[in-house]
Amino acid sequence: MSYRADKAGKGEMIGVRAAVRGSWRFARAFSLDASLGFSFLDGEITGSSSLTPSGSSNSATTPSSLAQITDDSRSGTIQDLDLTVSWRAVGEAVRVWVGWEQQVWDGITTDLVRNFPGTVAPLRDRDSVVFSGYKIGVFVSF
């Protein structure tokens, strides 16, 4: 027996974002740059999950299943932080930077069908997701 499993989460939100950004030049060619932002969102999320028999022994006799839930009064936030060290050359025309950034999405990434009623082995709830990573870049102005 084999099954095809599909799972999806979709969100549509609107909101406001407030952020501050600063730069401290600690040497003639070097600076420390940072930004901190907050987004406040409100909208709708939809979660769906399906299981469809796809094997030759079960596709004709086993029915497909589909669960879908919509939450149209979801609120959430996004916090983002960005830190970089920049080196400027050729006046201000070339800038090379290395840094780190992180975003925390809270309340808007809920998996509505994760522990559907009747789940035999419930999973830990997931209401937030974190994205983070190192970055390197070059800016050239001419």
Side-chain angles (χ1 to χ4, degrees), residues 80-84 99-103 130-135:
D80 54 89
L81 172 67
D82 181 87
L83 297 169
T84 59
W100 177 79
E101 63 184 331
Q102 179 175 0
Q103 287 189 351
V130 177
F131 303 97
S132 63
Y134 299 99
K135 61 183 185 174

Side-chain angles (χ1 to χ4, degrees), residues 18-59:
V20 293
R21 179 163 188 78
S23 183
W24 175 53
R25 214 161 204 175
F26 59 88
R28 181 171 160 81
F30 292 94
S31 68
L32 179 64
D33 310 299
S35 69
L36 181 62
F38 296 95
S39 301
F40 305 96
L41 304 165
D42 191 39
E44 173 182 288
I45 59 173
T46 302
S48 63
S49 180
S50 68
L51 196 61
T52 305
S54 61
S56 58
S57 64
N58 64 338
S59 61

Side-chain angles (χ1 to χ4, degrees), residues 45-96:
I45 59 173
T46 302
S48 63
S49 180
S50 68
L51 196 61
T52 305
S54 61
S56 58
S57 64
N58 64 338
S59 61
T61 58
T62 307
S64 297
S65 65
L66 171 67
Q68 185 168 335
I69 299 174
T70 299
D71 182 351
D72 62 358
S73 61
R74 176 63 59 165
S75 293
T77 60
I78 298 175
Q79 300 97 39
D80 54 89
L81 172 67
D82 181 87
L83 297 169
T84 59
V85 175
S86 298
W87 172 67
R88 289 173 171 80
V90 193
E92 297 290 319
V94 177
R95 184 176 52 162
V96 178

